[in-house]
Structure formats: C-alpha cells, structure tokens
C-alpha cells in the first residue's frame, strides 16, 4: 500500500527562504490546507491559513498593510499572530476573532512549518542541513512539483538501485546495479548505503569533477521521517591513496505533501569541490533538475496506475533493494497511528482529493501571478 | 452554509433578448438542464429541453426547419410546443411523443424562463426592469460566466461594504467602508441602503459624470429572490441645493444557476445621464465588466475553498454588514423548503456536479461555434 | 440503458497491424487495463499488462532489450511470455514472478486480443475481414478515438436511418430515410439491410465511382458481438441490366472499449473499384474520417447527457429503426450475464471511471511521444 496520508505533528519545509520575498504574498497549499506565507517588515516569515474567517476569501487575494494582512473582500485585517484588529463597519473586535497561524522556523536556506498540535513543536527535531549555506560549500537549489503522492518520492530516494535504469545517462552506470546495499534504521530515520569501488565514472560526475578514470564511489541515502532526505555522495579516482581528490556532495530533498496526491519537492545540491564556480552551479541546476524530473515522471506514471485501481491494485513484489523503502513505510505508519488515535478527525481526513487538487492548482497559479 | 440548490418554481433570466438570434439555435445549461433556445419565424422565443426523446441527442446539434427543430441524428421533428410531428421510417406519430418545453416571457431586453411546475408560473411575479429599454435612459449590457455557485454572487450584491476593498480603483472609496447601512426585507425581497454624504467621487463616476468634487451618493441594493437584483446609485455634487445635477444609475444583475456550482451572470447598467453618448456606453461596458470580473474572481476563489472542504468547512464569522446577505439565505431556504416537501425528488437533486459541469461546458462551446 | 460494461471473454481489436512497429513500444488502455504492445525481433506481436509487478511502473517507460522488456525503474526484465528473467540485486528469480500476457491473433491487417479467461480463447471466433488485404481490393484505414462508451457507436453503426440526417453532405441522401429496413439476428450477430432503388447518388459515391445518375444502392450492416462491424455497400447505375458497373465497398469498424466511457475506433474501407488508385484512397481517407468524426461527435454529445443524468436519465423512445440497435443490446446483456455469474468480480467492475480515463489519456500521450 502507498499511503496517501501524512503525519501532521512534524516539521515540513514550507518554502525555500528565497521563495518568500519581502512585500509579496506567497499562497501555497501545504498538507491539504491553503497557507499564506509572507515576511514582516523585519524579515520574519509568517504562515497563516489562507482563508478569511469572515467569508472564506483567500487572504492572498488581499493586501499587505505593513506587517498586517487586509482581506481583499471586506477588509478584515489580521496581525502576524493571526489576531483580527479591524472589522470595517463594526466598532469592536472580539479577541476571539483570529485566523490560524502556524509555527515557522527559518534556517540554512529553508523555512520549516509545523501544522499539527503546536504544543508538540520542537525546533530541535529539524534535521541538520547546514551545507546549504555553509562556508566551503557551493549550492544549487530549486523547487519542483509532482502530481503524485509524496510517499512515492520518499521511496524513490531510499532506493539506490534505480540509478542504473532511470538515470543511465547522468548519475547511473550499469555495473553498480548488482552491488550490495546495506540498510539501517531507527524510529525516525532510515539509512541506505552502497560502496562502489573501481566503477566507471557516470557522465554527470565526469563533467563536474573532471574525473574520467574509474572511481571509488560511496552513496548514502538518509531519510528523516516523514519528509526529508540527505543523500551524500563521495567520488574519488579509484585507488587514490589518500582522500585529497575526494569530491563530496550533499543533496537535500524536502518532500512536502501539497494534497493527498500532489507534492512539493524542494531540493538543493551542495558540493565541496569547484566551490564558487558558477558554471558548475549552473550545470548542476539544469542537470539535477533533469534527473529529478525523471523521478517525478516515474512517480506520476505510477500514481496514475494506483489512482485507477485504488484501493485494490495488485500486490506488489518486494525485492532486496526494497528494504529501505519498506522501512520508511513502517515508520510512517507508526507516526500516523500515533496521532491517529483520533483517525478520521485529523484535518486532512476530510478533504475531497479532486476538489482539493483543483484548489491547490488555482493557488499555485495565483502564486505565479503574484510573483509575476 | 452556502446552498448549492435553487428553487425551480421561479422566474430566471434565460438570456438577454439580443442573445437569441433569428435562425440560430442557442444551447445553454440552465438550472442543471440542457435547454435549447431559438426564435420562431415571427420572433417568438422558444425554450425546450435540449435532448431528443429518441436517443438523447442534443437538439442543438440538429437543424431549424422553419419554426420546427429537426433532430440531427435520426430526424425526429418537433414543433415550438414540443410536439413531435415526424419520425422517419414510421408512418404514425403518437400524440404522446413530445419534448418538454418551458414557459418564456420576453420583455425589456430579457427572456425569462420558468422551469418548475408550469401551473404555478405567473408572469406578474417578474420584477420590473423597464430602464433597460426605456426612453431617457441609455444602457450597456453583457453576459458573464462564473465557476461558482449562484448564492455567492447574490450575497456579494447585497453587501455594500466590499466596494472599498474589492473595487477601490473604480467604484469604491476608502471612507465609505465605515458608513452605516440599513437593511429591510419581506418574504421575497431584501433591500440594503447606504447614504454617503460629502464623500470623494470614485474614479468611475468622475469619468462618466464629469463630477470631480465631493459627492452625495446613495446606493440601494434590492434583491428579488431567488435570482434578480437592481442596484440603484445616485450621485450628485455634495451640497447641491436641488437635484438638477443628480445622476441616476440602475444596474440589473440576473444570476441564473447553470449547474450547482456554475452560474450565468446577465447584467445591464442603465443611466439617465450622458444619454445616447456612445463613448460613455463603451466605457461603461468595459469598466463595469471589469468590476464584475473582480466579483467573479472573489466568488470563484471562495468556491474553491468551499468545494474542497464541503460539507464541513469552518464556521464563518458574521458581522454587521452581513444582515442583507444572511437574509437572502433565509428567503432561499424558505423557498427551497416550500417546494422541497419532495426533497430529493426535484430534478436537480439527482445530478452529478462534475459530469453536469462538463456537459455545461460542452454546451457553451457549442453555442460559441453555432453563433460563429 | 446504455451499458458501460463489456464482456471480457471476447476478441477485440487491439491495434491495426501497422500501428505496432518493430523496435517500438505501444502503450494503450484496452478494456480499462494498461497494455503494452510490441513485436519480437521475428515480428510476432506481444501484449502484456503495462505494469511492472515490482512497483507498478508502466513497462512502456522502460526499454526493449531484444525480445525482452526491461523495466525503466529498477530493471526487472520480462520475456514475451511474461516470465521475469532478471531482478537486479537478487541472484535468484522465482518462476512465479511473471507479468500477465494476453493471447493475440494477427491477420488481415488487424491484431486481435483476448483479455478474458485464456482457456476460452478460440481464434476461429474472429470474424472474417479478408478484404482489408485481399487482391482485387484497395483499402484506406485509420484509427480514431471517442470520449464516449462503445455501445453508442455499436448502435450508431446498426442504424441506417441516421445517414440522411447526420451525413447528408457525404454518404446520406434525404429520400432514403423513409425506405424500409429488414433486421435479422442470431445469438452473436445482427444484420440490418436496406435496398434503395433509383435513388440519387450521394456526393461521396459520385466522387469515388464517377456515377452521377440515379443509383440502385444496397447497404448491409453486420454486427459481430461484442465489438466488430462490417458494412457492405453496393452502388450501381439504376436499372443497369447486369452488375458490370457495380461498385462494392466493405467497411470494417472495430469498436474497442478503452475505459468504461472512452473508445478506440479502428476502421478500414476496402473497395473493388478504382483499385490501386491512390487519389481515391487519399480522398476516402479524409472523407470517411470526416463522416466518422460526425458519428463520434454525436456519441460524445449523448455521452455528456447520459453521464450527467446517470443512472436515472429519462426513458428513451424506441422507434422502428431501432430494431437492430436494440437487438445488439440484448446480445451484449446476455454475454455479460454469462460471464457475470461473478458480477462485481470481473476486473473492470472495480475501476474508477475518472481516474482510469485520466490514466488512459496519459498512456495515449506517451504512445504519441514514443512513436515520435
Ligand atoms: S471575506 Fe474577508 S473580510 Fe469578508
Ligand atoms: S436521437 Fe433524435 S432522432 Fe434519434
Ligand atoms: S517498478 Fe519495475 S523494476 Fe521496480
């Protein structure tokens, strides 16, 4: 089974920092809810439900008034904490009039959101990803969108065997398909590792590192449930006695459900080689986006199949390389069970997938117009 | 709750007179049903279900044969009263073979349809709207379409407070937002009124009346349930001793459900100033359509939210300016209850919104092709 | 009632032979299932479920490796009989790992598929259609797609009366509408016949046969349940003493459900006149496709009506010319009942029409890309 549900008591990436610009509103569906993201005048990011408490008008169709948001329909005005401070035509505003806001944490190029029980939010749970902005590293980053449920991408990223088949012309090579992997895990993470000694250098790495002889390559995929991945790749000329020519790459993948069956994909590739070389950054931007688009296309094709047969699609065959992906399902199921004591009562249990997808699409189009 | 149902024992505008042209068929979904509109050779408008009794072929894909309609599939031919007078290949046609027709009343630029129990149809119930074609008035008119349920627009039109926020650059101005409104009603109508003395003249009125000093403005929104509005606006230079420079404007809004969640919006603006001045008519056409498009965009954004959360979207906050809109819901609920003794038995209770919307869209595209 | 179900224990045309090219994969939804069609290196056509048993990846996104198919995600490799012969990362492959394949029969320009119980497949049940490739005949052929359920087209083809109304400018003429038809049938076929003596020659036949005087015309529509039609047309100058100037035409229509409410339409027109004259073939290609597009448009308009009202659309009136179409429904109902002892258990009973249609559309788009 591919779950199309997601825990809410968890940190998800809401945006890359660069996407939330001063003076602009960024409307975006997250976990099935419409969210308005913006920055106060001192730069602090704010997230509130993008729906006025009066007549459900999206606040993102209104106006920023300093740090506040004025609804574009009848002028109710909200502060960054969600308090309503003006109701045109009414002289008093009750303290109870509020729009829901969400805890945010910004750091290392990302803005994280907590959409569950706010009392359980612990910023310390956010995985480390300091390479994004650290000295000695250069980073290429982007945001993609996928018309498929998030878990398909979680599983793709925990599976090292697809590189040879889905990405043979960039980061995969045929001989690594049969090399063994090791899988380890705990309650919240899964780690999959493959050591590849003396293999041919895939085209992407030749291009960015300049190595065209056989390499020793190591790849470690780490999953931080429910929605974050760091893939570490090291490459060095095979048999190099020390590690002086070793190239390290940290790839971050933040997989945030937009709706039950659509997904935001925030990514970055940080490298400790060719630091500051813009041509390598530019090449990485386009090459990596190309690789990720192949992953997205695969997940979307599978989503089509699942959606047409759900809930009774045929049993899947599990094979050796599925150890990591299957473990991620187990962890998600446990997280869902933990908060789903009240299953059916969680916000996303109620929404209609088709209508929510249509709304999410409209919000994305509006975001494009607003950032116009 | 925003009802997505509508009374059937009521007059709705089916079309502006100008839309039904001699010798052409106009297919259009109304109240969830496919309707064919056309004129007989003497100009009388006809409305029949746009579905052949033989194999459900839309009659609008057939041909007008004089006053009759010939089905484009196997040639069944119907008179304007719905009687079938030819079945190719059969020598006798039973009197019982009929397609359903609907009572129509044409007058003052509009064609009204009655799609409920024909015995209850009383033309006298049609609201007065003679300004559309009266001497001493000039009129600009148009037809718009909205991907949202009709009631959202009914409520928009009964709410005078949104002008300052949704239309600040045309017919709204900031200071009127806090001025009081009065709301009155009876069993079938709601009237909302706002007096604005000494306020700044909004851009639209400066342009069409030439007044650029402060004005005394009066706005009266009248709703005739379930689907018709007259908004009366008067504007004169503030403190003008008599009414010699008063400009009057009567805006008609006919809100006809196309399906549960899509709506036809027929409108006209009649004025007693700049009569016969085509440049003012042209400017009004584009400026007013622009204003109404803003209303439509707001309603469509709200419909996205409602559709995704229905039937459990969060409780809405009601504020002072909602008196008129809320009263319109009460009247509609009463009308629905009155005919809904047999709830679930009314034709529109059965239809699938998604499929009906798809059909309605196909009909609209065909209308565009037919009017070529 | 228009059934939206279809028997599975039957031969359906999966493709025209020309559509399955050597070295290319042709993905196509058939009877609601994703199917991959290709040819082995000796030209034998193969049909397998287009869904990897590992993670549901469409195999059509993978690669042909000689006669085998390699999944594009993790490299599972299948032979033309569906046996899996490679699982990267695993050393042994169980015999039980198989993808489902379907019996195919290729002949006379068509590839037939059997998607029901393979033990019941009898190639002898395939109707004769040798004119497609026979000496002394020239053929124009094509493939169309319809957004409507297959039965609407089955009934269209068994009804000779619509020619005068739907195709008056090509193959119909007004006076034939009232001429009698005869209808005969047995358990698996329906035959409808009309003799037309001394009628005017419709525009299409004048163009291709050169006859512009009155003609004697005979039209015989044969239906081979559940999905195949041969229409035989003969045309000769009226009163011609012998048949020396008789022109014969055999039109094949293979109606294969793609999903419950979408349909593949494979057709060919074979003629024994103007044999080898490419200009007549070219003209036939475009003229006949035009006629069939009219039939498709009619069926799609009716599908819109049915879909919006289903399952409670108004009773249809049956008239004389419906004898053949109604008989075809009876035969289909019997076939469905015969295999539907286990109704609800048949594969297509489970699928969601909307999601399956979306998937089928994605498959068609991929087929277009793959065939470049
Ligand atoms: S909907 Fe926001 S102020 Fe009315
Ligand atoms: S569907 Fe109208 S005549 Fe047959
Ligand atoms: S999905 Fe086909 S090999 Fe994994």
């Amino acid at each position: 089974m591919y779950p199309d549900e997601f825990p809410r008591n968890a940190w998800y990436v809401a945006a890359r920092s660069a996407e939330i610009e001063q003076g602009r509103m960024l409307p975006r569906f997250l976990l099935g809810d419409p969210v308005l993201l913006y920055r106060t005048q001192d730069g602090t990011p704010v997230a509130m439900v993008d729906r006025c408490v009066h007549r459900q008008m999206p606040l993102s169709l209104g106006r920023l008034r300093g740090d506040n948001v004025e609804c574009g329909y009848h002028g109710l005005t909200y502060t960054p904490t969600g308090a309503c401070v003006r109701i045109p035509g009414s002289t008093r505003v009750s303290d109870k009039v509020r729009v829901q806001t969400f805890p945010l944490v910004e750091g290392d190029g990302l803005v994280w959101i907590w959409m569950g029980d706010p009392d359980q939010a612990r910023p310390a749970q956010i995985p480390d990803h300091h390479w994004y902005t650290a000295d000695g590293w250069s980073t290429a980053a982007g945001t993609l969108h996928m018309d498929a449920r998030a878990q398909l991408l979680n599983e793709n990223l925990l599976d090292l065997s697809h590189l040879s088949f889905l990405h043979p012309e960039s980061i995969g090579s045929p001989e690594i398909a049969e090399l063994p992997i090791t899988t380890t895990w705990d309650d919240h993470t899964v780690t999959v590792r493959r050591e590849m000694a003396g293999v041919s250098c895939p085209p992407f790495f030749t291009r960015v590192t300049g190595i065209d002889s056989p390499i020793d390559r190591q790849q470690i995929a780490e999953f931080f449930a429910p929605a974050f991945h760091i893939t570490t790749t090291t490459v060095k000329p095979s048999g190099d006695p020390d590690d002086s020519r070793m190239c390290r790459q940290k790839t971050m993948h933040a997989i945030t459900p937009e709706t039950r069956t659509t997904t935001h994909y925030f990514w970055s590739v940080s490298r400790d080689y060719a630091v500051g070389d813009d041509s390598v950054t530019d090449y990485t931007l386009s090459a990596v986006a190309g690789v990720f688009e192949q992953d997205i296309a695969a997940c979307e094709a599978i989503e089509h199949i699942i959606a047409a047969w759900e809930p009774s699609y045929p049993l899947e065959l599990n094979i050796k390389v599925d150890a990591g992906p299957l473990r991620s399902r187990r962890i998600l199921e446990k997280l869902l069970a933990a908060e789903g004591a009240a299953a059916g009562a969680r916000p996303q249990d109620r929404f209609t997938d088709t209508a929510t997808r249509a709304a999410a699409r409209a919000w994305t189009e509006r975001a494009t117009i607003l950032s116009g």
Side-chain angles (χ1 to χ4, degrees), chain A residues 90-136:
Chain A
S90 302
T91 43
R92 283 193 37 200
V93 182
S94 155
D95 283 357
K96 289 187 197 144
V97 181
R98 310 186 58 83
V99 71
Q100 188 184 358
T101 56
F102 301 106
L104 291 183
V105 172
E106 180 165 27
D108 295 327
L110 298 177
V111 177
W112 296 79
I113 193 168
W114 179 278
M115 296 180 74
D117 173 6
D119 292 339
Q120 298 184 41
R122 302 277 175 281
Q125 298 164 333
I126 293 175
D128 175 38
H129 57 289
H130 68 275
W131 308 275
Y132 196 132
T133 54
D135 284 348

Side-chain angles (χ1 to χ4, degrees), chain A residues 239-283:
Chain A
D240 211 19
D242 60 15
D243 288 351
S244 64
R245 293 189 58 198
M246 178 176 287
C247 298
R248 285 175 199 78
Q249 192 170 293
K250 290 278 183 180
T251 306
M252 175 283 291
H253 318 259
I255 309 301
T256 305
E258 180 189 45
T259 68
R260 279 182 186 283
T261 55
T262 61
T263 303
H264 299 290
Y265 185 175
F266 307 99
W267 63 270
S268 64
V269 174
S270 302
R271 63 181 191 274
D272 76 348
Y273 57 88
V275 173
D277 181 338
D278 286 348
S279 77
V280 170
T281 302
D282 289 348
Y283 177 73

Side-chain angles (χ1 to χ4, degrees), chain A residues 16 43 93 102 104 110 123 134 136 140 149 153 168 203 211 285 297 315 363-364:
Chain A
R16 292 182 298 113
V93 182
F102 301 106
L104 291 183
L110 298 177
R149 64 197 67 194
L153 208 44
I211 305 172
L285 267 175
L315 268 189
W363 259 242
T364 301

Side-chain angles (χ1 to χ4, degrees), chain A residues 154-165:
Chain A
N154 281 335
E155 300 194 13
N156 169 289
L157 292 165
L158 279 170
D159 156 54
L160 302 183
S161 79
H162 76 270
L163 275 58
S164 309
F165 302 99

